[in-house]
Amino acid sequence: MNILLLGGGGREHALAWKLAQSPRLKTLYAAPGNPGIAQHATLVDLDAKDHRAVVDFCTRHSIGLVVIGPEAPLVDGLADNLRATGTPVFGPSKKAAQLEGSKGFTKDLCKRAGIPTAAYERVTSKDGAIAALDDFALPVVIKADGLAAGKGVIIAETREEALDALDTMFSGAFGAAGEEVVLEEFMTGEEASFFALTDGSAILPFGSAQDHKRVGDGDTGPNTGGMGAYSPARVLTAELEQQVIDRIIRPTVETLAAEGTPYSGVLYAGLMLTDEGPKLIEYNARFGDPECQVLMMRFDGDLVELLLAVAEGKLAEQGPVELADRTALTVVMAANGYPGTPEAGGAITGIDAAQAGGARVFHAGTAEKDGAIIATGGRVLNVTATGQSVREAQETAYAAVDAIGFPTGFCRRDIGWREAAREESVA
């Protein structure tokens, strides 16, 4: 089977690596891809925003499955246009992708379906938002409704910070994403992520992970797209996972189906583990980045077979997802300046040496220039390893990090610290 993978980051490199292992694969195409993805796929010059070009490519190359990695093409409705031509797609429709494309849409769904989440208010003007502030204790969470590249969430500790955040939102700093704003109750607890595949009816759990959003060690500094992750997140026990499925995932799938908007793809639930049980922070309509990297390191099945079953509405025919019991951990190597303006063009060496020790390096923001690998983005590499414990996976991952030459980059040195501390406390 010929497959087209859309995207060019670390998530897509991990997907390409795993898709390429399937005996069902004939040719894997990727657009735009990156130098790491090029090791597993034929790179093609396709713009996911040009739906007609993507559809034409699929027709000409007999594509049997399209895997859409990032969220923007999903929210833009690319999956709908591909399905209209009979091409199987892994990823939700435009309407269903509102779970990620509109935070207000998701909060309203939670209200209708009785899904546990933070109290909230949707506002469409600065004056309305200021008036609604009185209904929330401090700190308060202020979110741009639409896609804002992971930067549209502000936790305001004081009323002055809240007013500044609202001014930022409604002044156009986030473009159309900030035309509507969601105010939310601040929840306390530990965060974790849970993943489930669904074809709109059947639900298949796909594991858990814990991301590290802050740029600095000890969870300090500004939020980022993610500086590292590990899986499984053992703080999300089997009992809690079942609660997540019963109280969050299943009501979401059933409500969307009943309302004529069936969801097909992966549901990525960002959770807060509160004293009252797991509550939904938000949904993403695709695999996380860098959570996908650690999930793919643990996944021992045939990814092509599984994603095709989702796309064709045959997920109920699949057995449980094969996830190894080992821990996987990934460290993001980012360019200096990230999450602000990253320094581009820095040379990278030592990737082969890093992988010789048992780690795997996924390319996230790289390009090849004159035979050398250079940095082109904020998050540049995902250095990923497995072990019988978080501590063992940490040791292998950081040994690989130290083998890489990237003088214009940096990383956190404490990925997995919470779970490593828990391991040591019971040792």
Side-chain angles (χ1 to χ4, degrees), residues 19-278:
L19 289 168
Q21 297 172 29
S22 171
R24 301 194 61 175
L25 179 70
K26 180 180 179 183
T27 302
L28 177 62
Y29 298 97
N34 63 40
I37 294 173
Q39 300 170 17
H40 314 289
T42 299
L43 304 190
V44 294
D45 185 16
L46 267 182
D47 183 355
K49 296 179 182 177
D50 188 343
H51 294 193
R52 180 177 293 276
V54 175
V55 169
D56 289 347
F57 179 89
C58 291
T59 301
R60 293 196 310 272
H61 293 84
S62 302
I63 299 298
L65 175 66
V66 177
V67 178
I68 301 177
E71 64 273 19
L74 296 168
V75 174
D76 194 38
L78 177 58
D80 303 73
N81 288 327
L82 286 164
R83 288 192 179 101
T85 66
T87 302
V89 183
F90 180 78
S93 67
K94 180 175 183 175
K95 287 184 177 180
Q98 289 181 91
L99 278 181
E100 179 165 3
S102 169
K103 294 176 178 64
F105 174 89
T106 298
K107 300 297 285 190
D108 287 350
L109 173 74
C110 289
K111 180 183 287 188
R112 295 195 305 275
I115 294 169
T117 188
Y120 74 102
E121 187 74 36
R122 299 178 70 171
V123 291
T124 55
S125 71
K126 184 178 176 180
D127 288 344
I130 293 172
L133 268 180
D134 293 334
D135 296 331
F136 293 86
L138 294 171
V140 61
V141 183
I142 300 173
K143 298 181 177 181
D145 179 71
L147 297 180
K151 299 177 181 179
V153 179
I154 298 173
I155 299 173
E157 300 283 348
T158 66
R159 185 175 178 85
E160 289 70 26
E161 289 180 4
L163 293 174
D164 287 344
L166 292 173
D167 189 54
T168 298
M169 298 279 182
F170 287 108
S171 67
F174 300 106
E179 291 178 358
E180 182 173 331
V181 168
V182 177
L183 303 181
E184 280 190 13
E185 165 198 16
F186 179 79
M187 295 189 291
T188 58
E190 189 167 344
E191 291 188 36
S193 301
F194 184 75
F195 299 83
L197 303 180
T198 180
D199 56 8
S201 178
I203 296 169
L204 204 56
F206 203 97
S208 64
Q210 190 169 67
D211 190 12
H212 298 62
K213 289 293 186 187
R214 299 281 187 172
V215 72
D217 285 10
D219 293 329
T220 58
N223 275 330
T224 70
M227 293 300 295
Y230 68 92
S231 173
R234 299 193 191 281
V235 68
L236 195 61
T237 63
E239 179 183 357
L240 290 177
E241 283 193 3
Q242 193 60 52
Q243 290 181 27
V244 171
I245 293 169
D246 293 341
R247 301 177 186 177
I248 297 175
I249 302 294
R250 184 168 290 112
T252 298
V253 172
E254 291 178 350
T255 300
L256 287 174
E259 295 177 352
T261 311
Y263 188 100
S264 175
V266 60
L267 276 173
Y268 161 10
L271 305 168
M272 186 67 76
L273 305 183
T274 76
D275 291 340
E276 300 171 338

